[in-house]
């Protein structure tokens, strides 16, 4: 066993400090150490995206990053995206447009989609399909996921316009 | 999938990296984005007792374009390559290729340095870098040196980089003419069944310069001088393109895998190359 | 009493059957608050994981765990020797065979469970696995089922006695590596019809091995509470009650002392029906250590060991008159079951419902024979998004129809039309024994062909062929057709059981005094949205808003016994139980209403959300009123409370059907297909929630696309799995998937209480042949007859190449 490291993270706005083996993968830090179980484990080889979180503004597959690499980082998971009383428009849209079935891919999917809409607030269907291609869903066939993201984009753009 | 235990280092400068490499020799490895290495460690197919994370190392970041030269720090990610408007303006083939690598999340982590340095024949950047005639900059205990991309790859995972050396940057001349990066793959996230990088300069309807390399069709990327020569001085008529394709097919040596048998790969290599040449020519 | 809402508004307020009610499950899933098995964390919980065999066939000479026991955090290493005294080194399979829990002297497939390492955390478990030293002696590997039936190599020593094969669970063996022969239909008459037919088409097809691969792998947490003598087992179980019974039977723990809980399940598709060694080892480890033990597969374990699907070699002969009227069908299957026969089929059906292979057609004479075979591959044979082996059956007949159309030089759509079972023939008894409940195939087919402008597509295709021949294009166009009939909702207990457990299902309803309710069922959702749709059934049946009804499943301590969710059986069986239990509630409510309204029971009638006095609709009692009275008013002759339970044994299966059309362009030079259009018409009888039906269709079609175009579990000659990660095992992303057009007709099931038939699996069953037919149809004009799936790039290219289309 190697020596433990002192790691600091800010997860969903909360500072966390702990000692961990260097080989601790970030997904396990989140799920098992911090009890943030929204991000899931699907493939473990960075293909499925169920473990997607946002780290310092980037969409990242947390199964393929050591917690040590994230030392000092700001991390947002699905738990930090909306609250029960104020859901994120993407969370509303996925509910409204049947963008999920078993729910297992959903946290990673929505977390990735928040970033996609930052990168491109007005994506075409093709851009959504390309921009979401790092997240696999086995249930929905993606059609309603695309629809949900389009609806959320429209909603967010309308809200932005109204605010201006 | 849990990797074996290791010591983790995050040095701030290259001197720090080199001293760890020197101390631990074969037992130490540098890591950039980690998206090739970490899965291998998780599958316990790579054992790395001392892991050196390069993310904080000074001088490995940034894209610079000046005097007809492009410099990409080793830690520049695929996402940064895609998002850099200045780079896309002078070397659009880089964006076109980077968009065909993996998926958005992986492109946020995957770096040019990692992609070219680890010697995986499936990686896209090595072939592309041979096409654009890039130079790889290494630093080691003996100091700095440069190796042309076209002389860097020896065999699968075997390169001109010594164990105690680190790849710090990639430089390339601003490419000239029309470009294309054409890739066939089974799905997003897959390596190429066949991929071709092509740059062509056209003057008065004649090919003045051509550069052609292909990916995942041998245990190294394949830059084919004969294929380039076949196009030079021609108007890229069918015979010239055929000659280039034939030359390339003589240089590749694909092996059978889940993507298909050798005959299929050779055929597709020819098709993909032809399409890349035609697209590059149309943009030249 | 004042009533200021219209009847339509009252109907709308219920959110009952037929409306696209939004899912109640989604609030937690969209906020990351699902509760899947790997989210469970208990005090002192340990982790277990397997040492797995790198070899496909080997004798185990020695297992040395001493170094592993030295790894900090490793508490125990279980081997077959440890399980043997408990009688748990082997376990029964759902197919009447038995399977090693941990390798007992030898291994039969790569990835087989050899030892179970129990440790304080998953890191120590992983290190412990690395430290176990197993000495193997390699044995000859048999991966080809036809070779398996010829070789002297004995895969399973328990199949031979005194040098002769002993009988298996389904009768005599033809060879020591042969598992069973199963027959349906009439052999001699079928041979006679085929021998005397105008036209006979013959084809052999291989339906490749694949895997359901839900995004969440299999796993469990076992917790033996030694103080109270009670075992709790959380897991990814599609059939929690059956798992409890099986655990009780093999462990000897009485069933009331076992609580099985299926929490949220991240997709099942058949992968999570069976019982796996991980479950048994976790239970044993928890008993041994007196601590909770978690076991979660990684993705490679999942693909390599738990529950493959398909792997059927199918040989068919179909005969017809020269006008195209089908006269007979013969099908022989060689079924590769791997090292153990662990198929998840009803006991009497070792090849599932493969005998639905006459499809949607009125075929007077048919015969089916299936031979099951052992090989050095993983066990399984689950129904991947289909009822038992129905995907194989439908693929077989929909390919045979295409081949017959080629033989007859006929249009394949027309050939289907003239052979469909006619509307007036239902209920229809097929030559292989099933009684189809209802159908209107011609209406569905005509609607589908008209919507896609079938004739226009054929004309376009003909032009494309001309252009191709003239060198103007290198892309061919394929039109894929399929018409499928599913057989779902197992099943009548008289012929469907699993390990002796009758395949009924159940619902228990408790109405609360204030007019809300909870209903519990024997099924378990893995994404199908039961909490939403079962509440809709109940809302329509009992007149309380769906939003006031909680649906609970998956906890054997609280839910009534049922056989679980797979084979599209939830709506046909548990949905029926729900409606029947609701009707019991309504019957009692009627008596209460009559008492409250001071009229005779027969003088009130149910109307949406209330009972009204016949002829005087202003006199009524709402179900809410009635619920309150049921608990709070002494009513002579009626006991307090408002509860009901129904155990539903369906009189028959249901037979959903559909008509699919796929239009595909194929790049002849690279083998890359491009799906231009996909039209899916489904008839699942009464539609409970159109939004959810559409979602199920999208998902099933996407899994069909995957299977048809690339998804396979491939082995090399040494029995090594070549497709163990998601790099090589094809799960399409949003980028590879098209938009689908969905449509429907409604032909209710006459025997189901609400006329519903089930839909989750139809799109997979119908989709696979549709995609495959599109690929094959593209090459029909150039002489293609049949090529095997998966149609990945190189195999499509190979077809083009073999037809001489490359220069």
């Amino acid at each position: 066993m190697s020596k433990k490291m002192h790691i600091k993270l800010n997860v969903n706005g909360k500072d966390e400090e702990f000692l961990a083996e260097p080989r601790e993968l970030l997904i396990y830090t989140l799920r098992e150490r911090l009890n943030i179980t929204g991000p899931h484990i699907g493939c473990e080889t960075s293909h499925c995206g169920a473990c997607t979180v946002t780290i310092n503004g980037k969409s990242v597959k947390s199964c393929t990053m050591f917690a040590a690499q994230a030392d000092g980082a700001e991390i947002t998971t699905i738990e930090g995206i909306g609250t029960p009383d104020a859901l994120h428009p993407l969370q509303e849209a996925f509910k409204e447009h049947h963008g999920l079935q078993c729910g297992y891919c959903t946290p990673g999917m929505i977390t990735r989609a928040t970033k996609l809409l930052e990168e491109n607030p007005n994506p075409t269907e093709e851009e959504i399909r390309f921009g979401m291609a790092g997240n696999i869903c086995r249930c929905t066939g993606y059609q309603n996921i695309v629809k949900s993201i389009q609806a959320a984009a429209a909603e967010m753009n309308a809200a932005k316009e109204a605010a201006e | 999938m849990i990797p074996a235990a290791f010591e983790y280092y995050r040095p701030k400068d290259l001197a720090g990296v080199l001293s760890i490499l020197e101390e631990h020799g074969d037992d130490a490895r540098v890591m950039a984005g980690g998206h090739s290495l970490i899965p291998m460690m998780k599958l316990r197919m790579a054992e790395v007792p001392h892991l050196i994370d390069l993310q904080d190392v000074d001088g490995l970041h940034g894209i610079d374009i000046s005097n007809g030269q492009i410099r990409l720090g080793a830690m520049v990610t695929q996402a940064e390559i895609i998002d850099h408007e200045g780079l896309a303006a002078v070397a659009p083939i880089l964006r076109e290729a980077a968009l065909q690598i993996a998926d958005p999340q992986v492109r946020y982590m995957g770096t040019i340095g990692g992609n070219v340095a680890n010697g995986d024949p499936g990686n896209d950047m090595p072939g592309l870098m041979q096409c654009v005639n890039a130079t790889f900059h290494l630093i080691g205990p003996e100091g700095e040196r440069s190796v042309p991309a076209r002389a860097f790859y020896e065999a699968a995972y075997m390169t001109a980089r010594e164990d105690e050396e680190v790849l710090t940057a990639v430089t390339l001349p601003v490419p000239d003419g029309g470009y294309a990066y054409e890739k066939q793959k089974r799905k997003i996230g897959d390596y190429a069944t066949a991929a071709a990088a092509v740059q062509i300069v056209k003057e008065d309807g004649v090919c003045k310069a051509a550069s052609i390399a292909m990916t995942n069709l041998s245990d190294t990327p394949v830059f084919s001088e004969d294929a380039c020569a076949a196009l030079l001085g021609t108007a890229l008529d069918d015979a010239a393109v055929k000659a280039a394709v034939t030359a390339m097919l003589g240089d590749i040596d694909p092996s059978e895998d889940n993507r298909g048998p050798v005959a299929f790969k050779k055929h597709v290599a020819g098709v993909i190359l032809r399409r890349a040449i035609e697209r590059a020519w149309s943009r030249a | 009493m004042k009533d200021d809402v219209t009847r339509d508004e009252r109907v709308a307020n219920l959110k009952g059957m037929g409306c696209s009610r939004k899912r109640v499950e989604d609030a937690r899933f969209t906020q990351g608050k699902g509760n899947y098995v790997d989210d469970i964390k208990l005090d002192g919980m340990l982790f277990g994981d397997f040492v797995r065999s790198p070899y496909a066939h080997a004798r185990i000479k020695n297992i040395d765990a001493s170094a592993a026991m030295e790894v900090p955090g490793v508490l125990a290493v279980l081997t077959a020797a440890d399980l043997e005294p408990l009688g748990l080194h082997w376990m029964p399979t759902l197919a009447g065979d038995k399977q090693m829990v941990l390798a007992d002297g030898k291994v039969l497939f790569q990835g087989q469970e050899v030892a179970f390492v129990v440790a304080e955390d998953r890191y120590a478990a992983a290190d412990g696995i690395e430290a176990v030293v197993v000495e193997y002696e390699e044995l000859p590997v048999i991966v080809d089922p036809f070779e398996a039936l010829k070789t002297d190599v004995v895969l399973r020593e328990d199949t031979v006695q005194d040098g002769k094969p002993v009988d298996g669970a389904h009768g005599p063996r033809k060879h020591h590596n042969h598992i069973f022969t199963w027959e349906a239909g009439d052999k001699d008459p079928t041979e006679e019809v085929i021998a005397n037919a105008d036209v006979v088409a013959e084809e052999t097809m291989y339906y490749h091995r694949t895997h359901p691969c839900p995004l969440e792998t299999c796993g469990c947490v076992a917790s033996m509470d030694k103080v109270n003598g009670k075992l709790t087992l959380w897991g990814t179980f599609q059939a929690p009650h059956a798992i409890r019974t099986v655990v009780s039977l093999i462990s000897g723990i009485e069933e009331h002392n076992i609580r099985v809980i299926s929490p949220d399940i991240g997709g099942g598709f058949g992968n999570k029906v069976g019982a796996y060694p991980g479950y048994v080892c976790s239970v044993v480890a928890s008993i041994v250590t007196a601590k909770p033990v978690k076991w979660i597969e990684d993705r490679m374990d999942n693909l390599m060991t738990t529950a493959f699907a398909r792997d059927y070699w199918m040989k068919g002969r179909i005969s017809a008159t020269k006008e195209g009227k089908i006269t007979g069908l013969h099908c022989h299957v060689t079924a590769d079951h791997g090292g153990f026969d662990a198929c998840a089929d009803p006991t009497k059906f070792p090849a599932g419902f493969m005998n639905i292979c006459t499809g949607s057609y009125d075929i007077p004479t048919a015969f089916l024979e299936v031979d099951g075979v052992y090989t050095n591959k993983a066990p399984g044979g689950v129904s991947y998004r289909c009822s038992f082996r129905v995907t194989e059956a439908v693929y077989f007949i929909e390919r045979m129809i295409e081949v017959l159309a080629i033989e007859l030089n006929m249009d394949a759509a027309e050939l289907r039309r003239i052979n469909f079972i006619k509307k007036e023939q239902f209920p229809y008894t097929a030559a292989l024994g099933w009684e189809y409940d209802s159908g209107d195939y011609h209406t569905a087919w005509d609607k589908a062909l008209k919507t896609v402008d079938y004739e226009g597509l054929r004309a376009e295709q003909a032009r494309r062929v001309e252009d191709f021949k003239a060198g103007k294009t290198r892309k061919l166009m394929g039109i894929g057709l399929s018409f499928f009939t599913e057989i779902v909702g197992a099943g009548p207990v008289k012929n469907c059981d699993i390990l002796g457990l009758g395949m009924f299902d159940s619902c228990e309803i408790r109405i609360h005094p204030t007019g809300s309710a909870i209903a519990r069922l024997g099924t378990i959702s893995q994404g199908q949205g039961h909490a939403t749709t079962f509440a809709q059934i109940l809302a329509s049946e009992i007149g309380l808003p769906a939003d006031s009804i909680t649906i609970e499943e998956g906890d054997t301590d609280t839910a009534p016994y049922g056989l679980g969710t797979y084979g599209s059986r939830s709506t046909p069986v548990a949905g029926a139980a729900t409606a029947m239990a609701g009707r019991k509630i309504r019957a009692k409510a009627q008596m209460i209403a009559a008492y409250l309204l001071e009229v005779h029971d027969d003088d009130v009638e149910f109307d949406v959300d209330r009972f009204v006095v016949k002829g005087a609709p202003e006199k009524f009692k709402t179900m809410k009123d009635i619920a309150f009275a049921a608990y709070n008013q002494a009513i002579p002759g009626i006991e307090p409370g408002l509860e009901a339970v129904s155990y539903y044994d369906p009189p028959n299966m249901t037979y959903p059907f559909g008509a699919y059309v796929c239009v595909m362009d194929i790049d002849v030079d690279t083998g890359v297909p491009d799906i231009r259009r996909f039209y899916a018409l489904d008839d699942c009888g009464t539609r409970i929630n159109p939004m959810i039906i559409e979602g199920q269709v999208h998902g099933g079609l996407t899994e069909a696309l995957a299977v048809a175009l690339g998804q396979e579990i491939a082995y090399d000659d040494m029995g090594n799995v070549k497709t163990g990660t998601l790099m090589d095992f094809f799960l399409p992303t949003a980028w590879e998937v098209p938009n689908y057009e969905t449509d429907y007709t409604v032909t209710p099931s006459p025997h189901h209480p609400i006329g519903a038939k089930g839909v989750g699996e139809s799109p997979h069953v119908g989709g696979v042949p549709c995609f495959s037919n599109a690929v094959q149809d593209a090459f029909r004009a150039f002489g293609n007859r049949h090529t095997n799936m998966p149609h990945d790039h190189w195999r499509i290219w190979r077809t083009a190449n073999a037809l001489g289309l490359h220069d």
Side-chain angles (χ1 to χ4, degrees), chain C residues 57 59 106 108 139-140 142 148 151-160 175-177 376:
Chain C
H57 195 197
R59 205 164 297 289
K106 71 185 287 194
L108 288 163
L139 296 169
I142 312 291
T151 181
D152 292 339
V153 176
V154 175
L155 299 182
R156 287 278 298 271
E157 272 130 25
D158 56 343
T159 60
V160 185
H175 179 272
H176 51 258
N177 295 327
N376 289 122

Side-chain angles (χ1 to χ4, degrees), chain A residues 23 32 101-102 138 142-143, chain C residues 23 41 122 127 732 740:
Chain A
R23 65 170 163 169
E32 294 181 349
Q101 290 179 25
C102 81
R138 293 287 289 143
Y142 303 105
Q143 194 156 329
Chain C
R23 298 196 340 156
K41 198 171 165 181
R122 59 174 83 240
D127 292 342
Y740 304 105

Side-chain angles (χ1 to χ4, degrees), chain A residues 23-24 28 31-32 35 42 44 78 84 91 96 98 101-104 125 129 136 138-143, chain C residues 22-23 30 36 38-39 41 122 127 212-213 298-299 384 526 695 698-699 702-703 732 734 737 739-740:
Chain A
R23 65 170 163 169
E24 182 168 307
Y28 291 125
R31 291 179 47 78
E32 294 181 349
N35 294 322
E44 302 174 78
I78 186 71
Q91 291 171 315
E96 185 64 24
H98 194 24
Q101 290 179 25
C102 81
Y104 200 77
E125 181 193 329
R129 286 184 178 275
I136 286 173
R138 293 287 289 143
C139 299
T140 65
Y142 303 105
Q143 194 156 329
Chain C
K22 303 302 175 202
R23 298 196 340 156
T30 54
Y36 302 89
D38 199 18
D39 297 342
K41 198 171 165 181
R122 59 174 83 240
D127 292 342
C213 195
D298 69 28
R299 179 56 61 193
Y384 169 11
Q526 308 122 41
H698 294 165
T702 302
E703 291 192 340
V737 172
N739 272 311
Y740 304 105

Side-chain angles (χ1 to χ4, degrees), chain C residues 341-419:
Chain C
D341 184 8
C343 288
D345 291 321
T347 307
K348 295 189 191 82
F349 298 90
F353 303 157
M354 184 65 200
N355 56 336
I356 194 77
C357 68
T358 52
S360 313
Y361 311 103
D362 183 14
I363 301 179
T365 317
F367 180 67
L368 165 72
E369 185 181 33
V370 183
D371 284 302
V373 183
Y374 290 126
T375 60
N376 289 122
K377 297 184 190 168
V382 297
S383 314
Y384 169 11
R385 203 160 184 150
C386 67
S387 196
F388 314 100
R389 299 289 185 184
V390 176
T391 312
E392 290 90 324
V394 170
Y395 183 75
F396 170 77
I397 185 65
E398 289 304 286
R399 283 303 305 147
M400 289 309 294
I401 288 284
E402 294 281 321
V403 171
L404 179 61
I406 291 168
E407 199 74 41
L408 289 160
N409 196 24
M410 244 180 111
D411 177 79
E414 182 58 19
L415 179 60
R416 285 179 173 85
R417 188 198 315 274
I418 62 178
N419 285 291

Side-chain angles (χ1 to χ4, degrees), chain B residues 8-258:
Chain B
Y8 173 88
Y9 308 84
R10 205 202 271 194
K12 301 274 185 209
D13 52 34
L14 280 166
V17 177
L18 293 176
S19 75
I20 303 163
L21 281 173
E22 200 167 11
E23 186 184 344
H24 297 289
D26 274 1
D27 280 350
R29 267 189 81 166
V30 299
M31 175 179 73
H35 275 48
S36 296
L37 184 59
I38 294 174
M40 299 302 278
M41 292 171 71
K42 289 174 75 175
L43 294 165
R44 298 204 178 203
M45 290 162 83
E47 187 140 0
V48 184
H50 299 273
L51 183 69
I52 309 167
D53 183 346
L54 297 178
Q55 66 172 304
D56 285 349
V57 175
D58 245 5
L60 299 185
H61 297 262
I63 298 172
D64 299 301
I65 307 165
S66 60
N67 302 327
Q69 281 284 316
I70 297 166
R71 182 187 181 278
L72 305 168
M75 293 296 284
V76 167
T77 63
Q78 317 294 357
E80 287 170 322
I81 288 173
I82 292 163
D83 291 342
H84 198 286
E85 293 302 335
L87 186 63
V90 298
I93 193 170
L94 267 55
R95 177 186 279 180
E96 183 160 297
L99 279 168
Q100 297 181 64
I101 296 174
D103 61 48
Q105 288 96 316
V106 176
R107 291 195 292 266
Y108 267 126
M109 292 302 292
T111 63
I112 177 83
N115 199 287
V116 298
N118 92 342
D120 184 340
N123 285 351
D124 290 271
M125 285 295 176
L128 175 65
M129 290 300 127
Q130 292 196 340
C131 169
V132 297
N133 199 15
T135 302
F136 299 158
H137 300 272
L138 306 168
I139 188 166
E142 311 296 320
E144 294 183 44
R145 67 182 180 116
S146 317
V147 182
R150 290 176 190 171
F152 189 72
Y153 298 97
E154 295 163 356
Y157 302 101
M158 303 280 286
T159 68
R161 186 182 61 84
E162 301 294 335
D163 281 344
E164 63 277 18
E165 284 183 311
V166 183
L167 189 145
T168 57
V170 173
T171 57
L172 57 140
V174 167
D176 232 0
Y179 68 95
Y181 194 79
E182 183 84 20
K183 178 176 180 181
Q184 179 167 339
K185 56 188 173 185
R186 294 171 298 181
K187 54 167 282 192
I188 296 272
D190 192 17
Y191 290 136
T193 302
V198 177
Q199 287 276 162
I200 301 179
V201 179
K202 175 160 72 176
E203 265 178 44
D204 305 325
V206 174
C207 173
K208 282 288 171 212
S211 181
I212 300 174
M214 296 197 79
T215 286
N216 215 16
L217 293 161
S218 192
D219 65 347
T220 63
V222 179
F223 173 75
S224 173
E225 279 180 40
D226 292 346
C228 305
L231 299 181
L232 277 181
T234 75
L236 260 78
D237 51 280
D238 193 52
V241 177
K242 256 192 195 140
V245 168
T246 306
M248 177 59 88
L249 292 182
D251 289 344
I252 62 172
D253 183 20
S255 47
E256 176 167 345
D257 60 18
N258 287 328

Side-chain angles (χ1 to χ4, degrees), chain C residues 479-659:
Chain C
I479 302 167
L481 303 174
S482 86
F483 196 100
F484 65 91
T485 298
E486 257 252 79
I487 169 171
V488 306
V493 171
K494 63 178 187 288
N495 51 21
C496 288
D497 69 86
I498 287 187
L499 287 180
L501 307 172
M503 295 180 72
F504 58 83
D505 229 290
S506 57
C507 175
E508 206 174 86
I509 306 169
R510 192 180 300 166
I511 311 288
H512 307 312
T514 51
S516 67
I518 184 165
R520 297 187 171 102
L521 295 92
T523 44
I524 176 72
S525 178
Q526 308 122 41
Q528 294 91 338
H530 291 173
T532 304
T533 50
F534 286 132
Q536 289 181 262
I537 295 174
L538 265 187
S540 293
E541 290 290 341
I542 64 175
L544 291 173
D547 290 347
S548 301
I549 302 168
T550 297
I551 300 291
E552 258 188 27
E553 302 174 301
D555 182 341
T556 58
D557 264 12
T558 56
Y561 203 98
L563 265 284
T565 295
Y566 44 86
S568 276
R569 63 186 302 280
S570 297
T571 295
V573 191
T578 303
M580 297 308 272
R583 286 171 196 182
K584 289 183 186 174
I585 296 277
R586 213 161 78 188
K588 184 171 178 183
Q590 180 166 3
M591 293 191 284
I592 297 170
Y595 172 80
L596 297 174
L597 292 163
E598 299 178 353
V599 295
H600 188 269
D601 290 356
D602 294 340
D603 292 332
V604 293
E605 61 186 359
F606 186 69
D607 180 47
V608 185
D609 57 354
R610 64 193 55 186
F611 277 94
V612 300
V613 175
K614 284 179 184 169
E618 73 285 358
K619 291 183 187 163
F620 65 86
K621 288 289 171 190
T622 65
M623 285 301 293
K624 228 175 137 122
D625 301 334
I626 295 165
F628 198 77
Y631 286 92
N632 298 308
Q633 196 164 342
I635 302 172
I638 298 180
E639 63 180 51
L642 196 51
E643 298 187 5
V645 57
S646 171
Y647 283 76
Y648 189 80
D649 177 11
N652 190 6
M653 316 268 186
T654 64
Y655 296 77
F657 59 92

